[in-house]
Amino acid sequence: MRQDRTRQDRTCQDRRLALVTGAHRGPGLAIASALAQAGVQILLGCRSRERGHAAAAARPEGAWMEPVHLDVTDDWSIAALRELVRREYGRLDILVNAAEVALDARDDLLPRERFERSFAVNATGAAAVTEAMLPLLTRSEAPCVVNLLAAPGGGAPAYLASKAALEALTRAEAARLKGLGIKVNGIRPVSLPGPAGLRATAELARRYALLGPDGPSGTVAMAEPLALAG
């Protein structure tokens, strides 16, 4: 394992390194795969180690993906991952906050529980991970943070409220971190059924994760209609 890690460390000096939260399924996994296919080294942040290893095993051919344990509601878990990244890689180029929960259909939860749990993952969790990773992001030549927001539409109060908070956080963090050269943007998932929507969302995230020094910050991006038609 140490021999493999040393090889990976050398490779990481020439390739960008990304942490994607909620990366074992859905948009998180699709975004991680799109970035990996673009040559980015991916840390798959997953609360379940088993699901993380399963996601890594299904990676595209030639892609570099490593599962890492991360519970965005647990400060100890976040701190432990920050230390691992610092020790093994020395920096972080891209952070994609894609961990999310949708609990509005959970009849076994009281309204207060649905809102508190939704905010804990969808908004507070993203804020905590971003803050923890700042020392590593500042070591990158082109650090980018991409937050996964809500798709257009309505009907899920706890989910939408927590994602609205994440959108506000995106704009606030973009302003706060401008002086550090860190770009912070939000993307809205593409409302297309099945794999087509995931692919379009992943492509949008890839574009904003790989922004250069002159790219935008503090924006909320949606896929262009022509891109969806293609």
Side-chain angles (χ1 to χ4, degrees):
M1 181 66 178
R2 172 52 55 185
Q3 182 177 359
D4 291 343
R5 178 73 70 191
T6 301
R7 175 179 58 80
Q8 291 166 358
D9 286 347
R10 289 199 299 267
T11 303
C12 191
Q13 299 305 313
D14 302 321
R15 299 172 64 183
R16 301 184 78 178
L17 178 70
L19 168 63
V20 182
T21 72
H24 67 283
R25 60 177 177 141
L29 180 56
I31 292 168
S33 297
L35 286 171
Q37 289 176 311
V40 179
Q41 294 190 139
I42 306 297
L43 299 176
L44 297 167
C46 306
R47 186 170 61 177
S48 166
R49 289 182 173 85
E50 292 76 14
R51 291 179 179 178
H53 283 288
R59 64 186 178 272
E61 184 177 356
W64 191 101
M65 290 183 172
E66 180 177 350
V68 291
H69 180 254
L70 175 63
D71 181 348
V72 302
T73 67
D74 184 338
D75 289 337
W76 288 102
S77 173
I78 296 170
L81 179 55
R82 177 187 59 203
E83 176 58 23
L84 182 148
V85 177
R86 184 200 64 76
R87 183 178 66 249
E88 301 291 350
Y89 306 100
R91 76 176 197 279
L92 184 65
D93 300 295
I94 299 163
L95 170 61
V96 180
N97 287 307
E100 63 177 6
V101 294
L103 304 176
D104 287 279
R106 289 277 302 271
D107 293 333
D108 59 316
L109 298 177
L110 295 172
R112 180 183 296 277
E113 293 177 292
R114 290 196 291 270
F115 273 83
E116 288 181 345
R117 293 190 189 184
S118 296
F119 270 80
V121 174
N122 299 348
T124 309
V129 173
T130 301
E131 186 67 26
M133 298 301 163
L134 284 183
L136 298 170
L137 287 165
T138 57
R139 298 180 182 181
S140 172
E141 294 182 358
C144 290
V145 177
V146 179
N147 293 328
L148 182 66
L149 306 178
Y159 176 78
L160 290 176
S162 62
K163 288 293 189 173
L166 180 58
E167 182 172 334
L169 175 71
T170 298
R171 300 185 192 280
E173 292 286 63
R176 181 173 76 99
L177 302 177
K178 181 178 180 180
L180 297 177
I182 300 175
K183 300 189 180 302
V184 185
N185 293 289
I187 64 160
R188 296 199 185 284
V190 177
S191 298
L192 289 175
L198 287 177
R199 286 196 300 270
T201 299
E203 172 58 22
L204 184 62
R206 184 195 65 80
R207 283 164 43 198
Y208 278 84
L210 297 177
L211 289 174
D214 297 328
S217 188
T219 63
V220 172
M222 297 177 62
E224 299 175 1
L226 290 178
L228 296 182

